[in-house]
Amino acid sequence: MSLLTHLLACLFGMGSWVSINGLWVELPLIVPKIPEGWYLPSYLSVLIQMANIGPLFVTLMHHFRPGALNEVAVIYVIIALGTVASFLLGFFWKETVVVAGAPRSVSLLVLTFFLAAVDCTSSITFLPFMMRLKPQYLTTYYIGEGVSGLLPAIVALIQGVGVVHCINSTQSLNQTLNQTLNNSSSALTFELSAQYQPANFSAEVFFFFLSAMMLVCLVAFLLLNYHPTVAREHPNGRYTNGVKEKSKKNRKWVEQKPMMEPYRPTNQRRKSSFGTGAYSWMQVSYIFVILAWVNALTNVVLPSVQSYSCMPYGNNAYHLSATMSAVSNPLACFIALFFPIRSLLFMGALTVIGSGIGAYIMGMAVLSPCPLLVNDSSGDVIIVLAWIIFILTLSYVKVIIGVILRDEGHSALVWCGAVVQLGSLLGAVTMFPLVSVYNYFSSGDPCNTKCP
């Protein structure tokens, strides 16, 4: 295997969600300067789900017009669009337009929609493109996809986004109205107040950084297509618009047979018409249900309540859980690179474990601002470990499912991307009204814990 190809696959995967992930971590700096305020996250959730029109179009084209869509051209377009949109955000994110008598951040919302369309469509185009490379590079791609969340988080930490200092403040109670009397008395109570520190560099610089990361992804994609070292890593056969060209020698072979040799004997009877037939329809349904469930939990459901689950334990617990969970994603992919356990039973067991830990995190969010062990240091440790193990186990499951479906062929990876977006959509539809409409969750004060 080529180290250069591994690096390029990682950088290519990094461009998949780096823009939207970066936008989320930058919210504490953006929100105070726009008219939408903290309603912006709700708007972003809606825009991201509307952007699923991109994956829907690509999926329907692959299903009804296989081979008609130029896959490589689509990837070039969406990466270029993401690069330009991120760059323009650096100039126009604060600009407002009066709509219906009130100022609105139209440019921010429109450019965010384009970024969301780019990232959502990447799920259904980047993965099938990896069919052009050997199976080992798919896991490296997933590492890059994990880095797309980790890198913006690290840069945001360096920037100082959301860093809170708790300072003493006084609150005057029962102060007499007669200020002319020297003997007027007041009862003073002392409490801590949260003071957000100014950022080390502006949001504009951060958006330019995101644009540079998309440009790096574009360069990596160019090299994956044209670098001679990468060309030697291609398996037998060439792909045109997602359809593999067959020579006379291998015309009777199924598309992925060379990849499946270690896992399915040549004379084994096909269990279904899906892919190579290695799995029955029941097993295929089981795989896709787990894929949708895992992505719903990791992409939307639990991240939407992360602040509620962690903030009552303090600002340090919140930032540590956010950072370490971002590290856990690429770490899980790295583990899967060396230990790709394809057992469906093991996959199910990990899903149950991860879901159970996710239920604990959700329970702490529901109990906010007074979750379990809120006044005990062990509560901080447990919530951080819960986030690490939750992301670690379910990210591993996602990678293994990707590896399995990669061996089932190009169309299987297209459906993989579609189910990923479907799971995220269902998670958003479930959580949006609970968090943003009915205000079911209550935030904790990072400086003052008022629980028994």
Side-chain angles (χ1 to χ4, degrees):
M1 291 186 294
S2 166
L3 182 61
L4 174 63
T5 308
H6 274 296
L7 177 62
L8 294 176
C10 183
L11 294 176
F12 176 56
M14 182 191 65
S16 58
W17 282 92
V18 70
S19 299
I20 290 298
N21 288 333
L23 190 61
W24 279 110
V25 300
E26 196 70 2
L27 285 181
L29 283 186
I30 297 174
V31 163
K33 300 178 181 179
I34 60 173
E36 288 78 10
W38 278 107
Y39 286 104
L40 180 62
S42 301
Y43 297 157
L44 294 185
S45 299
V46 174
L47 287 173
I48 291 171
Q49 301 316 315
M50 290 174 58
N52 278 310
I53 188 173
L56 178 62
F57 171 76
V58 174
T59 302
L60 293 177
M61 285 294 293
H62 276 294
H63 183 70
F64 294 106
R65 297 285 304 277
L69 194 65
N70 191 325
E71 189 174 77
V72 173
V74 171
I75 295 176
Y76 277 126
V77 169
I78 63 174
I79 297 178
L81 180 61
T83 304
V84 173
S86 300
F87 186 75
L88 291 178
L89 270 177
F91 294 101
F92 300 110
W93 70 272
K94 287 191 293 187
E95 301 297 324
T96 59
V97 176
V98 176
V99 178
R104 300 293 179 188
S105 304
V106 175
S107 55
L108 173 63
L109 297 176
V110 170
L111 290 172
T112 298
F113 173 78
F114 284 124
L115 289 180
V118 167
D119 290 359
C120 290
T121 310
S122 72
S123 297
I124 211 163
T125 53
F126 285 21
L127 273 175
F129 172 80
M130 295 305 295
M131 279 294 299
R132 298 165 182 258
L133 302 175
K134 293 178 180 178
Q136 296 87 342
Y137 297 112
L138 181 63
T139 306
T140 310
Y141 166 85
Y142 274 113
I143 293 176
E145 194 173 84
V147 171
S148 73
L150 173 62
L151 191 59
I154 293 176
V155 175
L157 283 177
I158 297 172
Q159 187 184 16
V161 171
V163 175
V164 176
H165 285 186
C166 298
I167 60 175
N168 287 324
S169 63
T170 60
Q171 181 181 15
S172 179
L173 301 175
N174 301 326
Q175 190 171 15
T176 60
L177 296 176
N178 189 355
Q179 298 296 327
T180 61
L181 297 176
N182 294 329
N183 62 351
S184 64
S185 61
S186 62
L188 295 178
T189 59
F190 294 88
E191 66 176 9
L192 296 174
S193 63
Q195 184 179 61
Y196 287 87
Q197 299 303 297
N200 295 321
F201 53 87
S202 65
E204 288 84 352
V205 174
F206 186 84
F207 287 131
F208 294 147
F209 160 76
L210 293 182
S211 180
M213 291 301 97
M214 291 300 297
L215 191 60
V216 168
C217 174
L218 180 60
V219 173
F221 184 60
L222 280 167
L223 294 176
L224 283 174
N225 277 291
Y226 298 110
H227 198 283
T229 301
V230 179
R232 290 194 293 269
E233 295 295 322
H234 289 184
N236 292 333
R238 296 173 59 250
Y239 288 83
T240 302
N241 298 346
V243 179
K244 188 171 184 180
E245 297 178 354
K246 302 178 180 65
S247 64
K248 292 182 179 180
K249 182 178 179 180
N250 63 2
R251 189 179 302 274
K252 296 182 180 180
W253 290 5
V254 294
E255 180 178 315
Q256 292 78 29
K257 184 175 179 181
M259 303 305 151
M260 285 299 299
E261 288 294 344
Y263 309 108
R264 185 166 73 94
T266 306
N267 57 355
Q268 180 175 316
R269 185 175 61 87
R270 290 174 60 90
K271 297 180 181 180
S272 70
S273 59
F274 180 81
T276 63
Y279 297 97
S280 66
W281 281 114
M282 183 68 71
Q283 290 172 319
V284 171
S285 300
Y286 168 80
I287 291 171
F288 280 128
V289 167
I290 287 183
L291 182 63
W293 172 256
V294 165
N295 279 278
L297 291 184
T298 57
N299 295 350
V300 180
V301 175
L302 270 300
S304 66
V305 298
Q306 185 167 27
S307 61
Y308 301 104
S309 67
C310 299
M311 196 61 78
Y313 296 100
N315 192 60
N316 288 336
Y318 172 68
H319 278 282
L320 191 59
S321 65
T323 303
M324 294 308 297
S325 59
V327 172
S328 299
N329 192 326
L331 177 61
C333 302
F334 189 76
I335 294 172
L337 182 62
F338 298 97
F339 303 100
I341 303 175
R342 295 164 174 258
S343 167
L344 299 186
L345 182 61
F346 181 69
M347 181 196 307
L350 285 182
T351 303
V352 170
I353 293 172
S355 301
I357 296 173
Y360 172 81
I361 295 173
M362 180 62 72
M364 297 307 99
V366 170
L367 294 174
S368 177
C370 296
L372 300 178
L373 303 173
V374 68
N375 296 316
D376 196 319
S377 58
S378 62
D380 306 17
V381 176
I382 291 174
I383 195 66
V384 172
L385 287 177
W387 271 101
I388 292 173
I389 299 173
F390 167 73
I391 296 295
L392 195 66
T393 53
L394 297 191
S395 294
Y396 183 89
V397 170
K398 288 194 288 186
V399 176
I400 294 304
I401 291 178
V403 171
I404 289 174
L405 294 179
R406 185 253 179 265
D407 287 332
E408 294 305 303
H410 182 274
S411 61
L413 283 182
V414 172
W415 283 109
C416 176
V419 171
V420 166
Q421 293 306 117
L422 176 63
S424 299
L425 173 62
L426 294 177
V429 169
T430 303
M431 295 305 297
F432 178 78
L434 295 178
V435 176
S436 303
V437 178
Y438 298 109
N439 297 318
Y440 190 75
F441 300 91
S442 300
S443 299
D445 191 323
C447 294
N448 299 286
T449 302
K450 300 177 181 178
C451 297

